[in-house]
Amino acid sequence: MRVVVQEAEFDPGAELNAFGRGNTDIGAIVSFTGVTRDVSGGLSEMQIEHYPGMTERAITQICEEAQKRWSLADVLVIHRHGLMQAGDNIMMVATASRHRTDAFAAADFLMDYLKSRAPFWKKEVTAQGADWVESKQDDEDALDRWS
Amino acid sequence: MIDVLYFAWVRERIGMPKERLETQAKTVLELVEELRAREERYALAFSDLSSLRVAVDQDLTDFGASLDGAREVAFFPPMTGG
């Protein structure tokens, strides 16, 4: 398991190529990359605040829960904080397993939990001002699938 | 003494990211009541608890949670990561 919380950009391709390399038990790697989206058509920047200490701890707990539920050879979560522009990569998740069903399900689970259980808050800055992104009921409902 | 942390719009409403408090509060809710009684900015930040989340010593919990032995309490809006 590798959990990275950083301000710096990362290269999803390079991370994915390195992930699981050399482990001949792995039959499937699934990855997701979250990208800064210009929802309103005028995003000048996205600010991502987090809770240092708790962030790493919460993500590690979410990954450990995924490892209990599915047979995973490895898990990777990278999440950025700080200032982002539209089109920038915010985060990525990768899961490796013997079989694709476990890798897909675990990646889906990790994304649902990261959305609303890892302490990150997004603020969109546009010409009209700055607004905190509100949580969505859909994201909360998505967690019910796993209970 | 307990460290109280605020994030996102809670931090903005209260006007600071962190403070150290002397409190007799036994639960998170008692701490919230103490803060609400202090100043208007706290009353405003804590006006609707359903729009807030709380972590005690960096574990997500609820407002009924005990503060016995707690060193750090954090208040923030629902998370929006990913």
Side-chain angles (χ1 to χ4, degrees), chain A residues 57-66 109-110 113-114 117-118:
Chain A
R57 180 182 172 140
I59 297 175
T60 300
Q61 285 170 352
I62 294 163
C63 291
E64 285 169 354
E65 180 61 29
F109 169 88
L110 285 167
Y113 272 78
L114 284 165
R117 292 292 181 272

Side-chain angles (χ1 to χ4, degrees), chain A residues 23 46-47 64 95 132 139:
Chain A
N23 185 342
M46 175 88 87
Q47 298 171 0
E64 285 169 354
T95 53
W132 291 100
D139 290 337

Side-chain angles (χ1 to χ4, degrees), chain A residues 49-54 57 61 79 91 115-123 132-135, chain B residues 5-9 11-12 53 55 57-60 72-74 76-82:
Chain A
E49 183 170 329
H50 79 121
Y51 181 173
M54 182 180 168
R57 180 182 172 140
Q61 285 170 352
H79 205 303
M91 56 91 62
K115 287 294 276 183
S116 44
R117 292 292 181 272
F120 290 99
W121 302 275
K122 289 178 186 161
K123 190 180 202 180
W132 291 100
V133 175
E134 283 190 36
S135 64
Chain B
L5 280 62
Y6 310 106
F7 292 95
W9 58 253
R11 170 177 54 72
E12 290 176 341
R53 300 288 180 267
D57 289 334
Q58 304 190 348
D59 275 324
L60 206 57
E72 186 175 290
V73 180
F76 39 78
M79 296 84 132
T80 52

Side-chain angles (χ1 to χ4, degrees), chain B residues 5-50:
Chain B
L5 280 62
Y6 310 106
F7 292 95
W9 58 253
V10 184
R11 170 177 54 72
E12 290 176 341
R13 281 188 196 176
I14 288 171
M16 61 186 155
K18 184 176 182 176
E19 61 187 317
R20 177 161 267 224
L21 297 177
E22 186 71 64
T23 178
Q24 302 302 315
K26 300 228 173 342
T27 65
V28 174
L29 197 58
E30 285 182 26
L31 176 64
V32 168
E33 294 302 338
E34 272 186 25
L35 290 169
R36 272 174 172 159
R38 277 171 72 182
E39 282 177 61
E40 182 60 29
R41 58 192 167 128
Y42 292 97
L44 183 68
F46 292 107
S47 59
D48 175 14
L49 295 189
S50 71

